[in-house]
Each structure stands twice: as structure tokens, then as C-alpha cells.
Coordinates of all heavy atoms in Angstrom, one line a residue:
M7 N 146.5 181.7 140.1 CA 146.4 180.9 138.8 C 146.8 181.9 137.8 O 146.3 183.0 137.7 CB 145.1 180.2 138.6 CG 145.0 179.4 137.4 SD 143.6 178.3 137.6 CE 142.6 179.1 136.3
K8 N 147.6 181.5 136.7 CA 148.0 182.3 135.6 C 147.1 182.3 134.7 O 146.3 181.3 134.3 CB 149.3 181.8 135.0 CG 150.5 182.1 135.9 CD 151.9 181.7 135.0 CE 153.1 182.0 136.0 NZ 154.2 181.8 135.2
Q9 N 146.8 183.5 134.0 CA 145.8 183.4 132.9 C 146.5 183.1 131.7 O 147.6 183.5 131.4 CB 145.3 185.0 132.9 CG 144.1 185.0 131.9 CD 143.4 186.5 132.1 OE1 144.0 187.3 132.6 NE2 142.4 186.7 131.4
K10 N 145.9 182.4 130.7 CA 146.2 181.9 129.5 C 145.8 182.9 128.4 O 144.6 183.3 128.4 CB 146.0 180.4 129.3 CG 146.6 179.5 130.0 CD 146.4 178.0 129.5 CE 147.1 177.1 130.3 NZ 147.0 175.7 129.7
Y11 N 146.6 183.0 127.3 CA 146.1 183.7 126.3 C 146.4 182.9 125.0 O 147.3 182.2 124.9 CB 147.1 185.1 126.1 CG 146.8 186.0 127.2 CD1 147.8 186.0 128.3 CD2 145.9 187.0 127.2 CE1 147.5 186.8 129.4 CE2 145.7 187.9 128.2 CZ 146.5 187.8 129.5 OH 146.4 188.5 130.4
Y12 N 145.6 183.2 124.1 CA 145.6 182.4 122.7 C 145.6 183.4 121.6 O 144.9 184.4 121.7 CB 144.4 181.5 122.6 CG 144.2 180.4 123.7 CD1 143.5 180.7 124.9 CD2 144.9 179.2 123.6 CE1 143.5 179.7 125.9 CE2 144.8 178.3 124.4 CZ 144.0 178.5 125.6 OH 144.1 177.6 126.7
L13 N 146.4 183.1 120.7 CA 146.7 183.9 119.5 C 146.1 183.2 118.3 O 146.5 181.9 118.0 CB 148.0 184.3 119.3 CG 148.7 185.2 120.3 CD1 150.2 185.4 119.9 CD2 148.0 186.6 120.3
A14 N 145.4 183.8 117.4 CA 145.0 183.2 116.2 C 145.8 183.8 115.0 O 145.6 184.9 114.8 CB 143.5 183.5 115.9
L15 N 146.8 183.1 114.6 CA 147.7 183.5 113.5 C 147.7 182.6 112.2 O 147.5 181.4 112.4 CB 149.1 183.5 114.1 CG 149.4 184.3 115.3 CD1 150.9 183.9 115.7 CD2 149.3 185.7 115.1
N16 N 147.7 183.2 111.1 CA 147.8 182.4 109.9 C 149.3 182.0 109.7 O 150.2 182.6 110.5 CB 147.1 183.1 108.8 CG 147.8 184.5 108.4 OD1 149.0 184.8 108.6 ND2 147.0 185.5 107.8
A17 N 149.5 181.4 108.6 CA 151.0 181.0 108.4 C 151.9 182.1 108.1 O 153.0 182.1 108.6 CB 150.9 180.0 107.1
Q18 N 151.5 183.1 107.4 CA 152.4 184.3 107.1 C 152.6 185.0 108.5 O 153.8 185.4 108.8 CB 151.7 185.2 106.2 CG 152.6 186.3 105.9 CD 151.8 187.3 104.8 OE1 150.6 187.2 104.5 NE2 152.6 188.2 104.3
E19 N 151.6 185.3 109.4 CA 151.9 185.8 110.7 C 152.9 185.3 111.6 O 153.7 185.7 112.2 CB 150.5 186.2 111.4 CG 149.6 187.2 110.6 CD 148.2 187.2 110.9 OE1 147.8 186.2 111.6 OE2 147.5 188.3 110.7
L20 N 152.6 183.9 111.6 CA 153.5 183.0 112.4 C 154.9 183.2 111.9 O 155.9 183.2 112.7 CB 153.0 181.6 112.4 CG 153.8 180.6 113.1 CD1 153.7 180.8 114.7 CD2 153.4 179.1 112.9
R21 N 155.2 183.0 110.5 CA 156.4 183.1 110.1 C 157.1 184.4 110.4 O 158.2 184.5 110.8 CB 156.4 182.8 108.5 CG 157.7 182.9 107.9 CD 157.7 183.0 106.3 NE 156.8 184.0 105.8 CZ 157.1 185.2 105.6 NH1 158.4 185.5 105.9 NH2 156.3 185.9 105.0
L22 N 156.4 185.5 110.3 CA 156.9 186.9 110.5 C 157.2 187.0 112.0 O 158.2 187.5 112.4 CB 155.8 187.8 110.3 CG 156.1 188.9 109.3 CD1 154.8 189.5 108.7 CD2 157.0 190.0 109.7
M23 N 156.4 186.4 112.9 CA 156.7 186.5 114.4 C 158.0 185.7 114.7 O 158.9 186.3 115.4 CB 155.6 186.0 115.1 CG 155.8 186.0 116.8 SD 154.5 185.4 117.6 CE 153.3 186.6 117.4
I24 N 158.2 184.6 114.1 CA 159.4 183.7 114.3 C 160.6 184.5 113.7 O 161.7 184.5 114.4 CB 159.3 182.3 113.7 CG1 158.1 181.6 114.4 CG2 160.5 181.5 113.8 CD1 157.7 180.2 114.0
E25 N 160.5 185.0 112.6 CA 161.6 185.8 112.0 C 162.0 186.8 112.8 O 163.2 187.3 113.1 CB 161.3 186.2 110.6 CG 161.4 185.1 109.5 CD 160.9 185.6 108.2 OE1 160.9 186.8 107.9 OE2 160.8 184.7 107.2
S26 N 161.1 187.6 113.3 CA 161.3 188.9 114.2 C 162.0 188.5 115.4 O 163.1 189.2 115.8 CB 160.1 189.6 114.4 OG 159.4 190.0 113.1
L27 N 161.4 187.5 116.0 CA 162.1 187.1 117.4 C 163.5 186.5 117.1 O 164.5 186.7 118.0 CB 161.3 186.0 118.1 CG 160.0 186.4 118.7 CD1 159.1 185.3 119.1 CD2 160.4 187.3 119.8
N28 N 163.9 185.9 116.0 CA 165.1 185.4 115.7 C 166.0 186.5 115.5 O 167.2 186.5 115.8 CB 164.9 184.5 114.4 CG 166.2 183.4 114.5 OD1 166.8 183.3 115.5 ND2 166.6 183.1 113.2
Q29 N 165.5 187.6 114.7 CA 166.3 188.9 114.4 C 166.8 189.4 115.8 O 167.9 189.9 116.0 CB 165.7 189.7 113.6 CG 165.6 189.3 112.2 CD 164.8 190.2 111.2 OE1 164.3 191.4 111.7 NE2 164.7 190.0 110.0
L30 N 165.7 189.5 116.7 CA 166.1 190.1 118.1 C 167.1 189.3 118.8 O 167.8 189.8 119.4 CB 164.7 190.2 118.8 CG 164.9 190.6 120.3 CD1 165.4 192.1 120.3 CD2 163.5 190.6 120.9
R31 N 167.0 188.0 118.7 CA 167.9 187.2 119.4 C 169.3 187.3 118.8 O 170.3 187.4 119.5 CB 167.4 185.7 119.2 CG 168.3 184.7 119.9 CD 167.6 183.3 119.7 NE 168.5 182.3 120.5 CZ 169.5 181.6 119.9 NH1 170.0 182.0 118.7 NH2 170.2 181.0 120.7
N32 N 169.4 187.4 117.5 CA 170.7 187.5 116.8 C 171.3 189.1 117.2 O 172.5 189.0 117.4 CB 170.6 187.5 115.3 CG 170.3 186.2 114.9 OD1 170.6 185.2 115.6 ND2 169.8 185.9 113.6
K33 N 170.6 190.0 117.4 CA 170.9 191.3 117.9 C 171.4 191.3 119.2 O 172.4 191.9 119.6 CB 169.8 192.3 117.7 CG 170.2 193.7 117.5 CD 169.2 194.7 117.5 CE 168.5 194.6 116.2 NZ 167.5 195.5 115.9
L34 N 170.8 190.5 120.1 CA 171.1 190.5 121.5 C 172.4 189.5 121.6 O 173.3 190.1 122.4 CB 170.1 189.7 122.3 CG 168.8 190.5 122.5 CD1 167.9 189.6 123.2 CD2 169.1 191.7 123.5
I35 N 172.6 188.6 120.8 CA 173.9 187.8 120.8 C 175.0 188.6 120.3 O 176.1 188.7 120.9 CB 173.7 186.6 119.9 CG1 172.7 185.5 120.5 CG2 175.1 186.0 119.7 CD1 172.5 184.4 119.7
A36 N 174.7 189.5 119.3 CA 175.9 190.4 118.9 C 176.2 191.4 119.7 O 177.5 191.9 119.9 CB 175.4 191.1 117.5
N37 N 175.3 191.8 120.7 CA 175.6 192.8 121.8 C 176.0 192.3 123.0 O 176.2 192.9 124.1 CB 174.4 193.7 122.0 CG 174.1 194.7 120.8 OD1 175.0 194.9 120.1 ND2 172.8 195.0 120.6
S38 N 176.3 191.0 123.0 CA 176.7 190.2 124.3 C 175.7 190.2 125.4 O 176.0 190.4 126.6 CB 178.1 190.5 124.7 OG 179.0 190.3 123.7
K39 N 174.5 190.1 125.2 CA 173.4 190.2 126.0 C 172.7 188.9 126.2 O 172.8 188.0 125.3 CB 172.3 191.3 125.8 CG 173.1 192.7 125.8 CD 172.0 193.8 125.7 CE 172.8 195.1 125.8 NZ 171.9 196.2 125.8
Y40 N 171.9 188.6 127.3 CA 171.2 187.4 127.6 C 170.0 187.3 126.6 O 169.3 188.3 126.3 CB 170.7 187.3 128.9 CG 171.9 187.3 130.0 CD1 172.1 188.3 130.8 CD2 172.6 186.1 130.2 CE1 173.2 188.3 131.8 CE2 173.7 186.0 131.0 CZ 174.0 187.2 131.8 OH 175.1 187.0 132.7
T41 N 169.8 186.0 126.1 CA 168.8 185.8 125.2 C 167.7 184.9 125.9 O 166.8 184.2 125.1 CB 169.4 185.1 123.9 OG1 169.9 183.9 124.2 CG2 170.3 186.0 123.1
D42 N 167.7 184.7 127.1 CA 166.9 183.7 127.8 C 165.5 183.9 127.5 O 164.7 182.9 127.2 CB 167.1 183.7 129.3 CG 168.5 183.2 129.7 OD1 169.3 182.7 128.7 OD2 169.0 183.6 130.7
A43 N 164.9 185.1 127.7 CA 163.6 185.4 127.5 C 163.0 185.1 126.1 O 162.0 184.6 125.7 CB 163.2 186.7 127.9
V44 N 163.9 185.7 125.1 CA 163.5 185.5 123.7 C 163.5 183.8 123.2 O 162.6 183.6 122.6 CB 164.5 186.2 122.7 CG1 164.1 185.9 121.2 CG2 164.5 187.7 123.1
D45 N 164.5 183.1 123.9 CA 164.6 181.8 123.5 C 163.3 181.1 124.1 O 162.7 180.2 123.5 CB 165.9 181.2 124.2 CG 167.2 181.6 123.6 OD1 167.1 182.1 122.5 OD2 168.2 181.5 124.3
E46 N 162.9 181.4 125.2 CA 161.7 180.8 125.9 C 160.4 181.2 125.0 O 159.7 180.1 124.7 CB 161.4 181.4 127.2 CG 161.4 180.5 128.2 CD 161.1 181.2 129.6 OE1 160.1 181.4 130.0 OE2 162.2 181.5 130.4
V47 N 160.3 182.3 124.5 CA 159.2 182.5 123.7 C 159.2 181.9 122.3 O 158.2 181.4 121.8 CB 159.0 184.1 123.5 CG1 157.8 184.6 122.5 CG2 158.8 184.9 124.9
L48 N 160.4 182.0 121.8 CA 160.6 181.1 120.6 C 160.2 179.7 120.6 O 159.5 179.1 119.7 CB 162.1 181.3 119.9 CG 162.3 182.4 118.9 CD1 163.9 182.4 118.7 CD2 161.6 182.2 117.7
L49 N 160.6 179.0 121.7 CA 160.4 177.7 121.9 C 158.8 177.5 122.0 O 158.3 176.5 121.6 CB 161.2 177.2 123.0 CG 162.7 176.9 122.8 CD1 163.4 176.4 124.1 CD2 162.9 176.0 121.7
K50 N 158.2 178.3 122.7 CA 156.8 178.1 122.9 C 156.0 178.4 121.7 O 155.1 177.7 121.3 CB 156.3 179.2 124.0 CG 156.7 178.9 125.4 CD 155.9 179.8 126.4 CE 156.5 179.4 127.9 NZ 155.7 180.3 128.7
I51 N 156.5 179.2 120.9 CA 155.7 179.5 119.5 C 155.9 178.4 118.6 O 155.0 177.9 118.0 CB 156.3 180.9 118.9 CG1 155.6 182.0 119.9 CG2 155.7 181.0 117.5 CD1 156.2 183.4 119.4
I52 N 157.2 177.9 118.5 CA 157.6 176.9 117.6 C 156.9 175.6 118.0 O 156.3 174.9 117.1 CB 159.0 176.7 117.4 CG1 159.6 177.9 116.8 CG2 159.4 175.5 116.7 CD1 161.2 178.0 116.8
G53 N 156.8 175.3 119.4 CA 156.2 174.0 119.7 C 154.7 174.1 120.1 O 154.2 173.1 120.5
A54 N 154.1 175.1 119.7 CA 152.6 175.4 120.0 C 151.8 174.4 119.2 O 152.2 174.2 117.9 CB 152.3 176.8 119.9
K55 N 150.7 173.9 119.7 CA 149.9 173.0 118.8 C 149.2 173.9 117.9 O 148.8 175.0 118.1 CB 148.9 172.4 119.8 CG 149.5 171.3 120.8 CD 148.5 170.8 121.7 CE 149.0 169.9 122.8 NZ 147.9 169.4 123.6
R56 N 148.9 173.4 116.6 CA 148.2 173.9 115.7 C 146.7 173.4 115.7 O 146.4 172.3 115.8 CB 148.8 173.6 114.3 CG 150.3 173.9 114.2 CD 150.6 175.3 114.1 NE 152.0 175.5 113.8 CZ 153.0 176.0 114.7 NH1 152.7 176.1 115.9 NH2 154.2 176.2 114.3
K57 N 145.9 174.4 115.5 CA 144.4 174.0 115.6 C 143.8 174.8 114.4 O 143.8 176.0 114.4 CB 143.8 174.3 116.8 CG 142.3 173.8 117.1 CD 141.9 174.2 118.4 CE 140.5 173.6 118.7 NZ 140.0 173.8 120.0
K58 N 143.0 174.1 113.6 CA 142.2 174.7 112.6 C 140.8 175.1 113.0 O 140.2 174.4 113.9 CB 142.0 173.8 111.4 CG 143.3 173.6 110.5 CD 143.1 172.9 109.4 CE 144.2 172.7 108.5 NZ 143.9 171.9 107.3
F59 N 140.3 176.5 112.7 CA 139.1 176.8 113.1 C 138.5 177.7 112.1 O 139.2 178.3 111.2 CB 139.1 177.3 114.5 CG 139.8 178.5 114.6 CD1 139.4 179.9 114.4 CD2 141.3 178.3 114.9 CE1 140.1 180.9 114.6 CE2 142.1 179.5 115.1 CZ 141.4 180.7 114.8
K60 N 137.2 177.9 111.9 CA 136.6 178.8 111.2 C 136.2 180.2 111.8 O 135.8 180.1 113.1 CB 135.3 178.2 110.5 CG 135.5 177.1 109.5 CD 134.3 176.6 108.8 CE 134.6 175.6 107.9 NZ 133.2 175.2 107.3
V61 N 136.3 181.2 111.1 CA 135.9 182.4 111.7 C 134.7 183.0 110.9 O 134.8 183.0 109.7 CB 137.0 183.5 111.6 CG1 136.5 184.9 112.0 CG2 138.3 183.1 112.3
I62 N 133.6 183.1 111.6 CA 132.3 183.6 111.0 C 132.1 185.0 111.3 O 131.9 185.4 112.5 CB 131.2 182.6 111.4 CG1 131.5 181.2 111.0 CG2 129.9 183.1 110.8 CD1 130.6 180.2 111.6
F63 N 131.8 185.9 110.4 CA 131.5 187.3 110.6 C 130.0 187.4 110.4 O 129.6 187.0 109.3 CB 132.3 188.2 109.6 CG 133.8 188.2 109.9 CD1 134.7 187.5 109.1 CD2 134.3 189.1 111.0 CE1 136.0 187.5 109.5 CE2 135.7 189.1 111.2 CZ 136.5 188.3 110.5
K64 N 129.4 188.1 111.3 CA 127.9 188.3 111.0 C 127.8 189.9 111.2 O 128.3 190.4 112.1 CB 127.2 187.6 112.3 CG 127.2 186.2 112.2 CD 126.2 185.8 113.2 CE 126.2 184.1 113.0 NZ 125.3 183.4 114.0
E65 N 127.1 190.4 110.3 CA 126.8 191.8 110.2 C 125.5 192.1 110.9 O 124.5 191.3 110.7 CB 126.8 192.4 108.8 CG 128.1 192.3 108.0 CD 128.1 193.0 106.8 OE1 127.2 193.8 106.5 OE2 129.1 192.6 105.9
A66 N 125.4 193.1 111.8 CA 124.2 193.4 112.4 C 123.3 194.2 111.6 O 123.5 194.9 110.7 CB 124.7 194.2 113.7

């Protein structure tokens, strides 16, 4: 069974990740290389469900 990972990103971090992956994809296209892996990750990130939650910090 594959293990699932979850990322907690705010709007700015999500935008930055998408922009970075898109730049990598454009670079690969310019160098005539395959973009399959980057395309897969981009689609997963863009299509991911959004969930709001609170983060509570407790000092010991």
C-alpha cells in the first residue's frame, strides 16, 4: 500500500509552488525533454481539494 502525504500550504506557498513547477516545465520544453512527471505533479496540485483548518501552538 502506498503511503499518502499531506501538505499544509497557504495561498502564497501554493502559488509559488505552481509557478516554480511551471518554470521547470517551460525549461524542459525548451530543452526538448519530457515533461510527464512535472505535468503529473502540476495536475495533482492544481486539482487538490482545499481544506481549512486551524493550527494551535501550545508552549510547554
Side-chain angles (χ1 to χ4, degrees):
M7 188 162 101
K8 288 188 178 180
Q9 190 173 6
K10 288 189 178 184
Y11 295 93
Y12 296 93
L13 292 176
L15 303 172
N16 61 27
Q18 183 182 8
E19 292 168 338
L20 181 64
R21 181 185 55 81
L22 237 161
M23 182 181 287
I24 292 172
E25 284 180 9
S26 299
L27 286 169
N28 201 25
Q29 286 176 2
L30 174 62
R31 184 176 181 273
N32 290 337
K33 199 179 292 185
L34 289 172
I35 290 171
N37 292 333
S38 303
K39 297 191 177 186
Y40 293 108
T41 61
D42 298 343
V44 178
D45 292 341
E46 237 179 86
V47 175
L48 259 174
L49 288 174
K50 283 184 180 183
I51 290 173
I52 291 171
K55 294 179 183 177
R56 309 286 190 253
K57 186 175 182 180
K58 289 188 177 181
F59 60 90
K60 289 184 181 182
V61 177
I62 301 172
F63 291 102
K64 293 185 179 180
E65 292 185 25

